[in-house]
Amino acid sequence: MLKSKTFVKKTRSGGVMKIVREHYLRDDIWCGSEVCTGCKQESTVLQKDACIESNLCSYPHYLIPDTNVVLHQIDVLEDPVIRNVIILQTVLQEVRHRSAPIYKRVKDMIHEKEKHFYTFTNEHHRETFIEREPGETANDRNDRAIRVSAKWYSQHLKPFEADTEGLKVVLLTNDLRNKQTAEESGLLVYKCEEYIKSLIANPELVDRLALSNDEKNEITSSKLLYPEHLPLSRIQAGIKSGSFLQGTFRASRDNYLEATVFVQGEGEDGTEVLLQGLQNLNRAVHQDVVAVQLLPRNQWVAPSSVVLQDEGAAKDDNVDEEEEENTESATESVRKPTGKVVGIIKRNWRPFCGMLNVSQIKESTRHLFTPADRRIPRIRIETRQAATLAGQRIMVAIDGWPKDSRYPNGHFVRSLGSAGEKETEEEVLLLEHDVPHQAFSQAVLSFLPKMPWAITPEEMAKRMDLRHLTVCSVDPPGCTDIDDALHCRELENGNLEVGVHIADVSHFIRPGNALDKEAANRGTTVYLCGKRIDMVPELLSSNLCSLRSNVERLAFSCIWEMNHKAEILSTKFTKSIINSKASLTYAEAQMRIDDTSMNDEITTSLRGLNKLAKILKRQRIEKGALTLSSLEVRFHMDSETHDPIELQTKELMETNSMVEEFMLLANISVAQKIYDEFSECALLRKHPAPPPSNYDILLKAAKSKNVEIHTDSAKALADSLDGARVKDFPYFNTLLRILATRCMMQAVYFCSGMDSDFHHYGLASPIYTHFTSPIRRYADIIVHRLLAVAIGADSTYADLMDKHKQSALCNNLNYRHKMAQYAQRSSVAFHTQLFFKSRGILNEEGFVLFVRKNAIIVLIPKFGLEGTVFFDSKDKTAPNIVFDEEGPTLTVEQHTFHIFDKVKVTISLDASNIQHQKIRMALTEPVVTRYDNVRIDMVRTNQLSKEKQSITLKN
């Protein structure tokens, strides 16, 4: 049966286009129930015995939720208890339109066999499709479509009631009008809340209910604490007229009464509007898209230097008294554009990890939840499981934030485990940094090669056979995802042939399939301490793609002919087959190079590579490439408990630099090739030059030791750093390079057709990309595909040549890389805490890295550890702390602290707050007696292996 819809559409040129859409209706669409004998079904989803213990529905039943139930009660629907649910096409389409994350969660439930969720295509069924009536809103039409489908199911399954102990269909809706209309037409219908509360065997499900609008109002006070949010129409008009600005709300980690709104400007950086005070923050949550109104200039203020955490008892619904704490003179520094939030354009709420603050009121079911992320406000939830949840890490979702509530309202989602346990904390840091870490789905795994796998004769014929070459890999110890291997041999003409061979991951991951989409979404492998979250399944990452020794592997090779001055005479790219002769660690390769008694082919190849690498590095540095520094630490783990038993900074060897030089050279060679072939859609990587203001702290630090640093160009900076020496202070140059690293911008992926600035500042290279790590970076897979098309080794596809899609992909990759870096740092910080937990109090030497208004930031080189020691006066009669911004210096009592001063501290673990455990430092030299200087605000440790290369290989 055919229906058609006709409507007119205005074109860009101002004309009118008539559009006719055909809509096919069928009468052979299955109901999906195993009780039904009427539908000729090949398979069924909905069970015959659809029983669940309920004091409302004592009979077997299927559930049909409406759109709002799916959107707002997704946490309940995901519970294993809820099964045999019919998801109507009408509902699925609306959910897809309104929330992509929830749509994905629904699709995942539909694919989960144990859930028995069935999609019924009611919009194409002859008996359930309905036309929209004149004057009927789209929402009302969809509600009616849901009721019609529920009615059809009830009638369709009625003949089988006798065989199924009275099987029925239950419609769930929170819309009172929809419920009333459904009841009038004889449907069995309940509000979602009343149905969930009827499940007497599963009372814990009640905690997972999101609050309805009625309930949100019940648990707030009558006093209005915040200004009303403006409606979207007023906001849009205000943005258009310029009276409001649109931007992303960024809450402060250090001060819960302060935030900034990043407004995208015409320039690359945009502008920031400062917000201070709860009323001006007006219920915005970190990462929300908001509308702000600038305050008059005479009300502009400076960012606060006060650290203020919302950790006191719940001063239930009182804003005013807390505003007092943030009154601070802004005369000392430049005032910033200051504003207030007038409305929310888009909420970016997600389930948050944290811990429950159990209410002191006996029998109370209302409690405050404190998120692990200090930028998120505390959330009020209702739960009857408080005693069980105390001391556990849990997840909570925000339901709403009424204007008369001090805190947002939310609901319990799930428990993650006991706080402090390694598995629980690992799960928290992965969730908080949005790292996809679920097991690979069957749909993804179905695209893996079938084992046993071997290279086919057809594949052999297409590739260059390099199995005879003395190829070897050099990696950190324990590395199983070996991306790259190298060779070097002398040619008959006296020149050298050097090859970089990279795992041919793009051979196994074909464009557009489920495996490719999953890898694109993950973007990168995430390396935690003692754990790896793979971007691709292990069969590829540690086996078929890994260039292990003594096995045949597919590779993508970049081969140069060079003279002995490391000058490139020719470059060749080819798909190849290799057989690595050795998988070495950096230390093993170094030992071979240094041992004069060893002269086998592998060692000779390594020596040739090392000699050329030294020349390449010297050439790069002469061009202005930066050699920066960041302390990296390595944990030695206990083989049984997997707890850290030793923490030490990593020493780099010549072989580290050797591998790095050839990876850089391959990346630059490939970047030039793909840009020459595809000037509009090459995926490249750039590193912007820092704005001059970024260097202020570096210049001040150098000046304090009478050293001059030039920052006009990367070359000037590199030369200045090379010459920066202070007598009797050998560590000064390293400290200066650590500080210079902090001045740098983040390197980013971009599409060549969407940008004109390609320059890589840190490498002093006019063009750069990532080609050498396709097992752990999705960007490299795209680059492999581009290069394969460029040399005629593979065919292209539409998305590869679409610069807008490439640009969107780059945005995701940049986000995933940034979050992976943060997750890695959090993992190092957690393992550092575990290390100090069993060490008691340690005495260590450190250096002052930064000087603040009321604090010094101390670096402990031995552990790569960095923390902020605050000076809080214990004695009200004590003299003020004197801070000189020009120095910068900080005078406490009779002692003045400068950048790079040597200090001695004791280090211990402060576990008084189980959620926010801290490394605590106490200053022992110099002695400052009248101040409490043992509070540490932030600990930073730098991760081993692939993270340090922020200016080199990673960029």
Side-chain angles (χ1 to χ4, degrees):
M1 185 174 170
L2 178 65
K3 293 269 182 183
S4 63
K5 294 178 183 175
T6 306
F7 55 94
V8 290
K9 183 180 175 184
K10 194 174 180 182
T11 63
R12 282 185 182 176
S13 59
V16 173
M17 182 191 296
K18 184 179 178 182
I19 296 175
V20 178
R21 283 205 181 136
E22 293 181 339
H23 189 91
Y24 290 89
L25 300 181
R26 308 169 61 121
D27 53 13
D28 60 351
I29 294 172
W30 309 331
C31 68
S33 173
E34 67 180 15
V35 307
C36 177
T37 54
C39 296
K40 294 178 174 58
Q41 312 184 77
E42 291 175 14
S43 62
T44 57
V45 175
L46 302 166
Q47 295 169 296
K48 180 179 181 179
D49 181 24
C51 290
I52 185 168
E53 204 171 335
S54 162
N55 58 18
L56 276 180
C57 309
S58 56
Y59 34 79
H61 56 276
Y62 300 151
L63 298 175
I64 298 183
D66 74 0
T67 308
N68 283 322
V69 168
V70 174
L71 284 169
H72 299 126
Q73 305 298 348
I74 186 72
D75 293 321
V76 171
L77 293 176
E78 282 179 327
D79 194 280
V81 171
I82 306 298
R83 298 191 305 274
N84 294 294
V85 177
I86 299 161
I87 301 291
L88 299 176
Q89 181 187 2
T90 306
V91 171
L92 201 57
Q93 286 172 344
E94 269 199 285
V95 169
R96 184 179 190 175
H97 177 65
R98 288 168 63 179
S99 174
I102 291 177
Y103 175 74
K104 184 182 183 302
R105 289 165 72 180
V106 174
K107 291 291 280 184
D108 288 344
M109 287 191 287
I110 291 166
H111 291 135
E112 200 178 321
K113 286 185 178 175
E114 295 76 22
K115 290 286 285 173
H116 300 281
F117 271 50
Y118 179 66
T119 312
F120 179 63
T121 49
N122 64 300
E123 296 290 354
H124 289 277
H125 194 292
R126 189 164 52 83
E127 293 180 44
T128 57
F129 171 76
I130 59 164
E131 299 267 17
R132 186 170 161 187
E133 292 175 352
E136 188 177 37
T137 66
N139 190 55
D140 286 346
R141 181 261 169 209
N142 288 343
D143 283 346
R144 188 161 59 88
I146 293 166
R147 293 194 300 272
V148 166
S149 297
K151 185 88 171 172
W152 178 85
Y153 256 103
S154 297
Q155 292 170 345
H156 182 74
L157 298 176
K158 199 171 184 63
F160 312 108
E161 276 187 17
D163 304 330
T164 58
E165 298 176 15
L167 176 70
K168 292 198 168 34
V169 173
V170 176
L171 175 62
L172 295 183
T173 181
N174 287 332
D175 184 320
L176 292 176
R177 194 156 63 94
N178 192 23
K179 182 174 183 285
Q180 193 177 345
T181 311
E183 285 170 338
E184 287 167 1
S185 60
L187 288 172
L188 190 58
V189 56
Y190 295 110
K191 283 180 68 177
C192 185
E193 287 82 356
E194 63 180 326
Y195 175 78
I196 296 302
K197 286 173 182 175
S198 80
L199 304 180
I200 45 181
N202 303 94
E204 75 284 352
L205 269 182
V206 175
D207 288 354
R208 301 184 71 174
L209 280 169
L211 297 175
S212 67
N213 287 331
D214 297 341
E215 291 170 307
K216 286 174 195 172
N217 295 331
E218 275 175 25
I219 62 172
T220 57
S221 72
S222 56
K223 182 182 175 186
L224 291 186
L225 301 177
Y226 297 98
E228 184 89 60
H229 285 151
L230 297 179
L232 208 53
S233 56
R234 288 263 315 268
I235 290 171
Q236 287 167 340
I239 290 169
K240 198 171 181 181
S241 68
S243 54
F244 300 152
L245 299 171
Q246 175 178 327
T248 305
F249 183 88
R250 293 174 176 173
S252 165
R253 283 183 194 277
D254 302 323
N255 188 335
Y256 75 101
L257 296 176
E258 187 169 280
T260 55
V261 171
F262 180 77
V263 180
Q264 197 76 49
E266 288 180 17
E268 203 170 281
D269 301 327
T271 56
E272 280 193 335
V273 177
L274 182 65
L275 311 174
Q276 281 188 354
L278 289 175
Q279 291 207 332
N280 289 340
L281 302 183
N282 198 6
R283 298 170 284 153
V285 176
H286 184 65
Q287 292 296 339
D288 282 351
V289 179
V290 300
V292 290
Q293 183 176 28
L294 286 178
L295 298 174
R297 268 185 180 272
N298 61 355
Q299 292 179 36
W300 287 11
V301 293
S304 170
S305 58
V306 173
V307 174
L308 204 55
Q309 305 294 351
D310 184 12
E311 287 176 340
K315 297 171 181 164
D316 208 42
D317 303 339
N318 193 340
V319 175
D320 305 330
E321 61 188 272
E322 295 175 28
E323 297 279 356
E324 304 278 320
E325 298 182 51
N326 202 34
T327 52
E328 190 179 334
S329 170
T331 54
E332 299 169 23
S333 53
V334 180
R335 294 167 185 255
K336 297 254 174 132
T338 308
K340 63 180 181 182
V341 171
V342 294
I344 309 293
I345 295 168
K346 185 177 178 243
R347 289 290 194 190
N348 272 324
W349 294 343
R350 58 178 173 83
F352 301 104
C353 302
M355 293 183 73
L356 198 65
N357 291 12
V358 179
S359 172
Q360 300 304 305
I361 302 168
K362 203 175 176 185
E363 304 296 323
S364 175
T365 59
R366 290 177 191 164
H367 307 273
L368 275 182
F369 163 83
T370 302
D373 187 341
R374 291 189 180 278
R375 296 169 300 186
I376 307 300
R378 293 197 284 177
I379 303 164
R380 184 186 280 111
I381 70 166
E382 286 206 30
T383 178
R384 291 149 190 80
Q385 308 175 65
T388 313
L389 298 178
Q392 293 201 348
R393 290 279 202 171
I394 64 173
M395 289 185 80
V396 163
I398 298 177
D399 297 326
W401 196 342
K403 57 184 178 293
D404 48 3
S405 173
R406 167 69 177 80
Y407 300 107
N409 300 321
H411 66 273
F412 167 74
V413 176
R414 66 186 172 105
S415 173
L416 300 170
S418 297
E421 286 186 1
K422 195 189 293 185
E423 292 76 18
T424 305
E425 298 304 324
E426 215 162 59
E427 177 77 0
V428 168
L429 77 86
L430 290 170
L431 288 166
E432 283 297 291
H433 294 100
D434 196 15
V435 174
H437 60 286
Q438 68 279 12
F440 289 101
S441 69
Q442 280 307 312
V444 169
L445 298 175
S446 69
F447 286 96
L448 292 175
K450 302 294 176 276
M451 298 301 284
W453 174 85
I455 301 170
T456 63
E458 296 80 32
E459 196 59 44
M460 288 258 193
K462 293 181 203 168
R463 292 173 178 263
M464 184 176 282
D465 190 346
L466 304 178
R467 289 174 292 179
H468 61 286
L469 294 179
T470 308
V471 172
C472 67
S473 62
V474 185
D475 289 283
C479 180
T480 61
D481 52 342
I482 302 171
D483 287 288
D484 52 88
L486 300 150
H487 88 269
C488 176
R489 64 172 180 168
E490 192 156 338
L491 299 172
E492 290 178 4
N493 61 9
N495 291 328
L496 297 168
E497 179 187 86
V498 177
V500 166
H501 311 279
I502 306 300
D504 189 3
V505 182
S506 63
H507 170 81
F508 296 96
I509 301 180
R510 302 309 295 162
N513 68 23
L515 177 55
D516 182 46
K517 287 176 181 174
E518 182 66 24
N521 178 45
R522 293 188 179 215
T524 179
T525 292
V526 180
Y527 294 87
L528 306 180
C529 300
K531 185 173 183 177
R532 191 178 79 204
I533 314 294
D534 281 325
M535 181 185 80
V536 297
E538 194 176 13
L539 179 64
L540 296 183
S541 66
S542 295
N543 187 351
L544 301 185
C545 291
S546 184
L547 304 183
R548 302 185 302 187
S549 55
N550 303 313
V551 287
E552 292 180 358
R553 288 290 177 257
L554 302 179
F556 210 149
S557 300
C558 175
I559 300 168
W560 302 278
E561 184 179 338
M562 293 181 173
N563 60 26
H564 288 266
K565 295 178 186 175
E567 293 168 338
I568 297 171
L569 305 173
S570 68
T571 306
K572 178 168 63 181
F573 304 104
T574 181
K575 293 261 186 160
S576 62
I577 299 169
I578 65 164
N579 189 324
S580 172
K581 303 301 182 279
S583 300
L584 306 173
T585 65
Y586 289 118
E588 287 167 348
Q590 192 66 54
M591 191 175 66
R592 279 176 175 268
I593 290 167
D594 296 341
D595 187 345
T596 52
S597 67
M598 292 187 78
N599 289 295
D600 57 279
E601 284 188 346
I602 294 170
T603 307
T604 305
S605 176
L606 287 168
R607 287 193 185 123
L609 289 165
N610 197 39
K611 186 180 173 187
L612 290 169
K614 287 178 180 177
I615 300 169
L616 288 169
K617 185 170 185 177
R618 190 174 67 244
Q619 289 172 351
R620 275 199 314 111
I621 289 169
E622 281 169 4
K623 286 181 188 169
L626 297 173
T627 306
L628 300 179
S629 183
S630 78
L631 292 176
E632 295 182 350
V633 295
R634 166 177 280 153
F635 292 100
H636 292 275
M637 303 291 194
D638 184 288
S639 58
E640 289 185 10
T641 65
H642 300 291
D643 285 343
I645 53 176
E646 196 179 340
L647 174 62
Q648 64 186 48
T649 49
K650 175 196 172 192
E651 288 180 31
L652 294 174
M653 302 177 188
E654 271 188 4
T655 45
N656 289 81
S657 180
M658 174 189 82
V659 173
E660 184 182 322
E661 286 307 316
F662 286 107
M663 297 306 112
L664 293 174
L665 191 62
N667 286 336
I668 291 167
S669 298
V670 170
Q672 194 59 59
K673 176 69 176 175
I674 63 172
Y675 178 63
D676 288 345
E677 293 288 333
F678 308 109
S679 60
E680 285 292 295
C681 58
L683 192 154
L684 303 175
R685 188 160 175 84
K686 68 173 181 175
H687 181 219
S693 60
N694 276 31
Y695 288 122
D696 287 351
I697 191 68
L698 178 69
L699 299 175
K700 285 179 180 178
K703 192 179 175 185
S704 70
K705 300 294 180 190
N706 297 315
V707 169
E708 198 172 352
I709 297 288
H710 298 283
T711 58
D712 314 346
S713 65
K715 170 83 173 136
L717 176 60
D719 291 346
S720 300
L721 289 171
D722 286 343
R725 298 280 183 274
V726 171
K727 194 180 178 187
D728 301 326
F729 190 0
Y731 202 63
F732 170 75
N733 191 266
T734 303
L735 286 170
L736 212 55
R737 289 181 192 275
I738 289 171
L739 219 50
T741 305
R742 306 286 170 85
C743 301
M744 294 297 134
M745 303 291 282
Q746 186 77 38
V748 290
Y749 297 111
F750 69 101
C751 176
S752 59
M754 304 291 280
D755 208 320
S756 56
D757 176 21
F758 294 8
H759 190 73
H760 197 294
Y761 181 80
L763 296 174
S765 176
I767 194 165
Y768 192 66
T769 194
H770 272 165
F771 164 76
T772 54
S773 295
I775 294 177
R776 63 183 178 90
R777 292 186 307 227
Y778 188 76
D780 303 53
I781 293 177
I782 295 295
V783 169
H784 276 227
R785 289 173 181 169
L786 287 164
L787 183 61
V789 176
I791 64 169
D794 206 344
S795 53
T796 187
Y797 57 100
D799 285 6
L800 192 67
M801 298 294 136
D802 186 327
K803 65 179 182 182
H804 297 287
K805 287 191 175 169
Q806 285 280 49
S807 190
L809 174 65
C810 288
N811 290 339
N812 181 58
L813 295 180
N814 291 329
Y815 170 72
R816 291 294 189 205
H817 276 256
K818 182 173 70 175
M819 297 315 280
Q821 222 170 18
Y822 291 161
Q824 287 160 359
R825 285 181 198 163
S826 292
S827 178
V828 173
F830 175 66
H831 280 77
T832 305
Q833 289 170 8
L834 288 181
F835 173 78
F836 282 105
K837 190 177 185 178
S838 57
R839 290 295 177 285
I841 299 174
L842 299 179
N843 292 289
E844 294 298 338
E845 207 171 67
F847 296 95
V848 176
L849 202 55
F850 298 103
V851 175
R852 296 282 187 257
K853 202 171 184 179
N854 63 338
I856 55 171
I857 295 169
V858 178
L859 174 73
I860 312 295
K862 181 178 176 182
F863 299 129
L865 188 70
E866 186 186 310
T868 310
V869 180
F870 286 87
F871 297 98
D872 294 328
S873 175
K874 293 186 285 187
D875 178 0
K876 297 296 180 192
T877 63
N880 287 332
I881 299 169
V882 180
F883 175 68
D884 175 12
E885 203 170 351
E886 280 305 303
T889 61
L890 183 69
T891 303
V892 183
E893 290 184 359
Q894 304 303 312
H895 188 83
T896 301
F897 292 95
H898 306 80
I899 293 180
F900 299 159
D901 279 359
K902 192 178 281 190
V903 293
K904 286 187 179 175
V905 295
T906 61
I907 309 172
S908 60
L909 180 69
D910 172 12
S912 58
N913 181 335
I914 193 166
Q915 171 153 257
H916 295 120
Q917 294 190 30
K918 301 171 183 175
I919 304 296
R920 186 178 278 266
M921 285 187 191
L923 206 59
T924 57
E925 273 185 41
V927 178
V928 183
T929 57
R930 298 173 77 185
Y931 286 85
D932 170 18
N933 58 4
V934 296
R935 185 160 61 87
I936 182 166
D937 170 55
M938 176 271 292
V939 170
R940 180 190 181 109
T941 45
N942 299 289
Q943 178 164 23
L944 172 72
S945 75
K946 295 170 173 144
E947 189 187 352
K948 175 217 165 193
Q949 305 144 351
S950 57
I951 300 303
T952 54
L953 196 54
K954 279 284 271 192
N955 280 335

